[in-house]
Amino acid sequence: QVQLVESGGGLVQAGDSLRLSCAASGRTFSNYAMGWFRQASGKEREFVAAINYNGGSTNYADSVKGRFTISRDNAKNTVYLQMNSLKPEDTAVYYCVGKTTASTSTTYSGSGSYRYWGQGTQVTVSS
């Protein structure tokens, strides 16, 4: 089992940047595909970004493509979400997720694919 702890959320203005971090503990981090989801108040949870076991493959929701970048440092057991040009509609609780995976280029965008979830970190973007 792996434990995921997010950090880096906060209150920013539109156009600003934030970097979320997700620290993983418990098992070999490189055995996990990782991702980020978000849920705004009153809305369904949605996929944001995903990364394969070694960072060689990434995938993004259309709404964040070109503005957000997912990356990972397997030596530090950490996955990141760099968020630039933030918009008020990016306001949500952001969740780090993980699943065991073979060493392939596959990334996963379905919430049901992920067994492990962090507790979430709030990102609020004011206009």
Side-chain angles (χ1 to χ4, degrees), residues 14-106:
D16 286 350
S17 298
L18 271 179
R19 188 176 79 159
L20 304 183
S21 299
C22 173
S25 61
R27 291 291 180 92
T28 305
F29 185 61
S30 59
N31 288 346
Y32 290 81
M34 303 296 293
W36 291 91
F37 282 74
R38 67 186 182 186
Q39 187 166 20
S41 179
K43 295 187 177 181
E44 292 187 355
R45 185 180 298 164
E46 64 174 358
F47 167 74
V48 176
I51 191 166
N52 77 322
Y53 79 104
N54 67 353
S57 296
T58 57
N59 185 25
Y60 298 92
D62 288 342
S63 59
V64 307
K65 202 170 293 183
R67 299 188 298 122
F68 290 11
T69 302
I70 188 171
S71 62
R72 66 189 296 161
D73 185 338
N74 284 353
K76 295 182 178 179
N77 287 6
T78 302
V79 63
Y80 305 97
L81 185 67
Q82 177 67 44
M83 304 185 294
N84 298 330
S85 302
L86 283 162
K87 305 175 180 180
E89 51 263 44
D90 294 319
T91 295
V93 177
Y94 283 71
Y95 297 93
C96 174
V97 296
K99 74 174 302 296
T100 54
T101 183
S103 301
T104 71
S105 62
T106 305

Side-chain angles (χ1 to χ4, degrees), residues 37 47 108-114 117:
F37 282 74
F47 167 74
Y108 303 87
S109 59
S111 61
S113 297
Y114 292 95
W117 291 71

